[in-house]
Amino acid sequence: MRTADIFKEKTVFSLEIFPPKPGADESVIYKTLDGLTDICPDFISVTYGAGGGKNGSRTIGIASDIQQLYGVTSAAHLPCIGLTKQQAADILDSMQKSGIENILALRGDRGEGDTPHGDFEHASDLITFIRENYDFNIIAACYPEVHPESASAADDIKHLRYKVDQGASHLITQLFLDNEYFYRFYEKTLIAGIDVPIEAGIMPVTNRRQIERMVSLCGVELPKKFRQMLDRYGDDPVALRDAGIAYAIDQITDLITDGVSGIHLYTMNDTDIAHRIYDAVQSLIMVSTGMRA
Ligand code: FAD
């Protein structure tokens, strides 16, 4: 199923997973999928290491298995940085043959000191390439706190509008910890005439390393409430995990109550966290979808 069509029927609840690292036990991902698919997500997206090689074939295989073995819609991420058009076509052909219908078209991040020599400068170039040559449903990324490389929020929204004009039919946000950023961003997208569903990307933050990585990589602001949580529970891994899950549930509750189109949960392949969050918000999703009075 094309992800854009699911939003016509319901408030979407979807998940992100990543393939096992090279050399890791391949069977682990299927245990993860056993645990995640029993909450019946609307779709599961599978990340893809930028640069073409690395775990790309795993992404395709896993995204295909999600559909064939579990009967759940999948989306394969595809970062275009460093790819030639021929390499992108080879990957897209393989995705098409594997029955994948949804592609999250991304630029990817530059490694430190990298000067990639590919045919695509921005995600929009890949989106155009896909639209002109294939029949995939295209998803794109967006940034409530503005992409770190953007000169301004207005520039970022202009480029986002271009991605939609080129064929992105659904957007997923980078993680954010303060919903006010999402609401302000959403208003700007409406003013810019962006009229595709925007899913809020939520990452339950449950350990200190994850927080440090998030701040340095994504430039996400840590709100006062979140910093207080860290100060109070940061030295106790069990308490921090519980508090991080509660924080994510609180964010999702507020977003669904406000009428968000969908929630995309960055699961970090942790089935327990995904279950605890889904169990807490399932009835809210059903009410929003009109399945409960
Ligand atoms: P772009 O849309 O190209 O934007 C990047 C920057 O360029 C922005 O500042 C934008 O404003 C600017 N820009 C865009 N278009 C133009 C233009 N036409 N002219 C001038 N400037 C322009 N990375 C991975 O490697 N693998 C993954 O699986 C992965 N999954 C992700 C999933 C989600 C939901 C998100 C939010 C991010 C993911 N990323 C992934 C990270 C992503 O690759 C990085 O955030 C990257 O820095 C930007 O990707 P993009 O597709 O948003 O790029």
Side-chain angles (χ1 to χ4, degrees):
M1 187 165 190
R2 297 165 86 87
T3 58
D5 291 336
I6 311 174
F7 294 92
K8 292 176 193 156
E9 294 167 11
K10 66 186 296 284
T11 303
V12 166
F13 187 81
S14 61
L15 307 174
E16 180 191 279
I17 61 164
F18 53 80
K21 300 217 163 20
D25 178 1
E26 290 281 332
S27 66
V28 172
I29 194 68
Y30 295 96
K31 285 194 194 110
T32 305
L33 286 172
D34 288 343
L36 292 178
T37 47
D38 64 7
I39 64 176
C40 299
D42 290 303
F43 71 92
I44 299 179
S45 81
V46 188
T47 65
Y48 193 126
K54 295 180 195 158
N55 64 356
S57 58
R58 290 148 192 257
T59 299
I60 299 173
I62 294 166
S64 171
D65 283 347
I66 289 171
Q67 299 194 144
Q68 311 299 334
L69 305 180
Y70 295 92
V72 173
T73 298
S74 70
H77 296 208
L78 179 56
C80 59
I81 198 161
L83 294 183
T84 61
K85 285 189 175 170
Q86 185 55 55
Q87 287 171 322
D90 290 344
I91 297 168
L92 289 160
D93 287 348
S94 172
M95 289 178 171
Q96 198 172 42
K97 275 193 205 118
S98 303
I100 293 163
E101 283 182 281
N102 304 293
I103 310 278
L104 174 43
L106 298 148
R107 186 199 66 184
D109 279 319
R110 288 190 187 101
E112 229 170 284
D114 265 9
T115 332
H117 300 287
D119 289 338
F120 304 94
E121 199 175 341
H122 304 291
S124 52
D125 301 325
L126 176 64
I127 294 171
T128 308
F129 181 75
I130 297 174
R131 182 179 46 77
E132 285 175 351
N133 297 287
Y134 296 89
D135 184 33
F136 289 110
N137 175 62
I138 307 170
I139 310 168
C142 60
Y143 302 83
E145 295 186 54
V146 182
H147 187 274
E149 290 167 35
S150 285
S152 68
D155 262 11
D156 215 24
I157 292 281
K158 188 176 82 186
H159 299 141
L160 184 61
R161 167 74 201 251
Y162 187 63
K163 290 203 275 196
V164 172
D165 289 346
Q166 288 308 295
S169 65
H170 151 203
L171 303 171
I172 304 179
T173 75
Q174 187 174 62
L175 67 105
F176 54 90
L177 294 166
D178 180 346
N179 287 358
E180 286 309 314
Y181 278 110
F182 179 85
Y183 296 134
R184 283 197 292 268
F185 165 77
Y186 185 63
E187 255 183 60
K188 286 182 192 146
T189 64
L190 292 180
I191 292 165
I194 293 171
D195 58 358
V196 298
I198 302 182
E199 267 193 293
I202 298 294
M203 180 179 282
V205 180
T206 54
N207 68 65
R208 270 197 183 276
R209 243 189 70 225
Q210 193 187 356
I211 297 156
E212 282 153 15
R213 193 175 139 73
M214 215 172 64
V215 173
S216 74
L217 202 71
C218 316
V220 170
E221 190 184 304
L222 305 184
K224 186 175 169 213
K225 197 168 133 188
F226 187 87
R227 279 186 275 114
Q228 281 173 335
M229 181 186 91
L230 269 188
D231 288 344
R232 185 126 177 105
Y233 307 115
D235 294 330
D236 184 319
V238 175
L240 183 59
R241 185 178 168 92
D242 285 345
I245 291 170
Y247 193 94
I249 291 169
D250 194 36
Q251 266 194 289
I252 296 171
T253 301
D254 182 62
L255 288 160
I256 293 178
T257 306
D258 195 72
V260 73
S261 296
I263 300 290
H264 190 63
L265 192 68
Y266 296 109
T267 68
M268 308 302 289
N269 293 11
D270 188 321
T271 54
D272 170 58
I273 290 180
H275 269 267
R276 286 171 65 181
I277 292 176
Y278 183 69
D279 289 349
V281 302
Q282 180 184 18
S283 63
L284 315 186
I285 294 169
M286 286 174 79
V287 170
S288 304
T289 300
M291 290 160 82
R292 279 163 72 105

